[in-house]
Amino acid sequence: MCSLDNSLFIWKRNGKLEGLICIYVDDFLWAGNATFKKCVIDELQKQFLIGSSASESFTYVGLRIKSFSDGITIDQTQYASSLVPVTISSARNMQRKSQLSESEKTAYRALVGQLNWMATHTRPDIAYDTCELSVAFSKATVTELVRLNKLVKRVKNESLQLFFPRLHSFETCSLECYTDAAFANLPNGGSQGGLIIFLKDDSGKKCPIFWQSRRLKRVVNSTLAAETMALIEGAEAAVYMAGIIKQLTAVKDVKIRCLVDNKSLHESLLSSKQVENRRLRLDISVLDDMIWREEIKKVEWVQTSHQIADCLTKKGASTEKLRGAVSRN
């Protein structure tokens, strides 16, 4: 069992990965060679009653998975088609500032939960909107309910297939982490942070393996502080992913490259001059230490036009770059 994720089981022979199993409740997904199938999967089938099984093209816990010669696609198009908007009468639609009734709240919470399931697994392009609607639940009005229905319509009309290309050897792979933040764009002075991590090989092919859009853990007083906190969360998530990869493979070093679009943050990490805010100094020192210990290889600045995580932090931001990066080109 992987020490970093107790739902992941690894099978090796002579130190080489030959198969793995991922478990979700009472469903499991496996991948491996013929020896792994014979020694592990076939034995499991003798011990446990397997209701049904499928390969190459199948649905696993609501995720439609398809195998191709050049990689794998995953989508929830069928799940999206089952989403039902909350019914709003014409008269109710005119009461935009009115608080939701208990029945509306129940329907609102259920639908946001369904969208969050998609945002977490296959739809990073709706992660910010889903998070914002979730945060608004306690004081939600008809305005939020209308926005929720619009998001459902968008999900149904704009499908997305995640693409995981067949990569070269793990020995040549690295992690690429984009992080971004929007300062004080949430209620009570909160800031939204976003990140997305790719596993990338030396030919430039990359697989999206983790993304996140959520309120930063504390209220900050500047854009620089918000961007710094978002980078810390992204770097820590990437280090965790690198740890899993090391357990899966024989790779001893997984290089991590972080990309930000805030020049002040990038310059602060390159300069020996300390920032004025003392609390912020602590956060930057965390990043400095991660770089010094080579947990992360480097932090690079990119133009905002190339910041894939931009739409994970703010309302109305274009999702085109993100959708293009996670789907088949």
Side-chain angles (χ1 to χ4, degrees), residues 177 195 197 214 217 229-242 256 258 286-287 290 295-296:
C177 177
L195 66 97
I197 301 173
R214 71 178 185 186
K217 294 178 180 178
M229 286 196 66
L231 177 55
I232 289 175
E233 289 196 1
E236 290 178 342
V239 169
Y240 172 75
M241 294 297 167
I256 298 172
C258 297
V286 170
L287 293 167
M290 294 179 81
E295 287 185 322
I296 54 179

Coordinates of all heavy atoms in Angstrom, one line a residue, residues 177 195 197 214 217 229-242 256 258 286-287 290 295-296:
C177 N 3.9 23.1 -12.2 CA 2.8 23.6 -11.3 C 2.5 25.1 -11.5 O 3.4 25.9 -11.3 CB 3.2 23.3 -9.8 SG 2.0 24.0 -8.6
L195 N -4.6 26.4 -8.4 CA -3.4 25.7 -8.9 C -3.7 24.5 -9.8 O -4.8 24.0 -9.7 CB -2.5 25.2 -7.7 CG -3.1 24.1 -6.8 CD1 -2.6 22.7 -7.3 CD2 -2.8 24.3 -5.4
I197 N -1.5 21.1 -11.6 CA -0.2 20.4 -11.7 C -0.2 19.4 -12.9 O -1.2 18.7 -13.0 CB 0.1 19.7 -10.4 CG1 0.2 20.7 -9.2 CG2 1.5 18.9 -10.5 CD1 0.4 20.0 -7.9
R214 N -9.8 27.3 -4.3 CA -10.4 27.4 -3.0 C -9.9 28.7 -2.3 O -8.9 29.3 -2.7 CB -10.1 26.2 -2.1 CG -8.7 26.1 -1.6 CD -8.5 24.9 -0.7 NE -7.2 24.8 -0.1 CZ -6.7 23.8 0.6 NH1 -7.6 22.8 0.9 NH2 -5.5 23.8 1.1
K217 N -6.2 30.2 3.1 CA -6.4 29.8 4.4 C -6.5 31.0 5.4 O -7.0 30.9 6.5 CB -5.3 28.9 4.9 CG -5.3 27.5 4.2 CD -4.1 26.6 4.7 CE -4.2 25.3 4.0 NZ -3.0 24.4 4.4
M229 N 0.9 32.8 -0.9 CA 0.2 31.7 -0.2 C -0.2 30.7 -1.3 O -0.2 29.5 -1.0 CB -1.0 32.2 0.6 CG -0.6 32.9 1.9 SD -2.1 33.1 2.9 CE -2.5 31.4 3.3
A230 N -0.7 31.2 -2.4 CA -1.1 30.2 -3.5 C 0.0 29.4 -3.9 O -0.1 28.2 -4.2 CB -1.7 31.0 -4.6
L231 N 1.2 30.0 -4.1 CA 2.4 29.3 -4.5 C 2.8 28.3 -3.5 O 3.2 27.1 -3.8 CB 3.6 30.3 -4.8 CG 4.9 29.6 -5.2 CD1 4.7 28.7 -6.4 CD2 5.9 30.7 -5.5
I232 N 2.7 28.6 -2.2 CA 3.1 27.6 -1.1 C 2.1 26.4 -1.2 O 2.6 25.2 -1.2 CB 2.9 28.2 0.3 CG1 4.1 29.2 0.5 CG2 3.0 27.2 1.3 CD1 4.0 30.0 1.8
E233 N 0.8 26.6 -1.4 CA -0.1 25.5 -1.5 C 0.2 24.7 -2.8 O 0.2 23.4 -2.7 CB -1.5 26.0 -1.6 CG -2.1 26.6 -0.3 CD -3.6 26.7 -0.3 OE1 -4.2 26.4 -1.3 OE2 -4.1 27.2 0.8
G234 N 0.5 25.3 -3.9 CA 0.9 24.6 -5.1 C 2.2 23.8 -5.0 O 2.2 22.6 -5.4
A235 N 3.2 24.4 -4.4 CA 4.5 23.7 -4.2 C 4.3 22.5 -3.3 O 4.9 21.5 -3.5 CB 5.5 24.7 -3.6
E236 N 3.6 22.7 -2.2 CA 3.4 21.6 -1.3 C 2.6 20.4 -1.9 O 2.9 19.3 -1.7 CB 2.6 22.1 0.0 CG 3.5 23.0 0.9 CD 2.8 23.5 2.1 OE1 1.5 23.4 2.1 OE2 3.5 24.0 3.0
A237 N 1.6 20.8 -2.7 CA 0.8 19.7 -3.4 C 1.7 19.0 -4.4 O 1.7 17.8 -4.6 CB -0.4 20.4 -4.2
A238 N 2.6 19.7 -5.1 CA 3.5 19.1 -6.1 C 4.5 18.2 -5.4 O 4.9 17.1 -5.9 CB 4.3 20.2 -6.8
V239 N 5.0 18.6 -4.2 CA 5.9 17.8 -3.4 C 5.3 16.5 -3.0 O 5.9 15.4 -3.1 CB 6.5 18.5 -2.2 CG1 7.2 17.6 -1.3 CG2 7.4 19.7 -2.6
Y240 N 4.0 16.6 -2.7 CA 3.2 15.4 -2.3 C 3.1 14.5 -3.5 O 3.3 13.2 -3.4 CB 1.9 15.8 -1.8 CG 0.9 14.7 -1.6 CD1 1.0 13.8 -0.5 CD2 -0.1 14.4 -2.5 CE1 0.1 12.8 -0.3 CE2 -1.0 13.4 -2.3 CZ -0.9 12.6 -1.2 OH -1.8 11.5 -1.0
M241 N 2.8 15.0 -4.7 CA 2.6 14.2 -5.9 C 4.0 13.6 -6.3 O 4.0 12.4 -6.7 CB 2.2 15.1 -7.1 CG 0.8 15.7 -6.9 SD -0.5 14.3 -6.9 CE -1.9 15.3 -6.3
A242 N 5.0 14.3 -6.1 CA 6.4 13.8 -6.4 C 6.7 12.6 -5.4 O 7.3 11.6 -5.9 CB 7.4 14.8 -6.2
I256 N 10.5 19.7 -9.8 CA 9.3 20.4 -9.8 C 9.6 21.9 -10.2 O 10.5 22.5 -9.7 CB 8.7 20.5 -8.3 CG1 8.4 19.0 -7.9 CG2 7.5 21.4 -8.3 CD1 8.0 19.0 -6.4
C258 N 7.7 25.5 -10.8 CA 6.5 26.3 -10.4 C 6.4 27.6 -11.3 O 7.5 28.2 -11.5 CB 6.4 26.7 -9.0 SG 6.4 25.3 -7.8
V286 N 9.5 30.1 3.7 CA 9.1 28.7 3.5 C 9.4 28.3 2.0 O 10.0 27.2 1.8 CB 7.6 28.6 3.7 CG1 7.1 27.2 3.2 CG2 7.2 28.8 5.1
L287 N 9.2 29.2 1.1 CA 9.5 28.9 -0.3 C 11.0 28.9 -0.5 O 11.5 28.0 -1.3 CB 8.9 29.9 -1.2 CG 7.3 29.9 -1.3 CD1 6.8 31.2 -2.0 CD2 6.8 28.7 -2.0
M290 N 12.2 25.6 0.6 CA 11.9 24.5 -0.3 C 12.8 24.5 -1.5 O 13.2 23.4 -2.0 CB 10.5 24.6 -0.8 CG 9.4 24.4 0.3 SD 7.7 24.6 -0.3 CE 7.4 23.0 -1.0
E295 N 13.5 20.7 -3.0 CA 12.1 20.1 -3.1 C 11.4 20.7 -4.4 O 10.7 19.9 -5.0 CB 11.3 20.4 -1.9 CG 11.7 19.7 -0.6 CD 10.8 19.9 0.5 OE1 10.3 21.0 0.7 OE2 10.5 18.9 1.3
I296 N 11.7 21.9 -4.6 CA 11.2 22.5 -5.9 C 12.5 23.0 -6.7 O 13.4 23.6 -6.0 CB 10.2 23.6 -5.8 CG1 10.7 24.7 -4.8 CG2 8.9 23.1 -5.3 CD1 9.7 25.9 -4.7

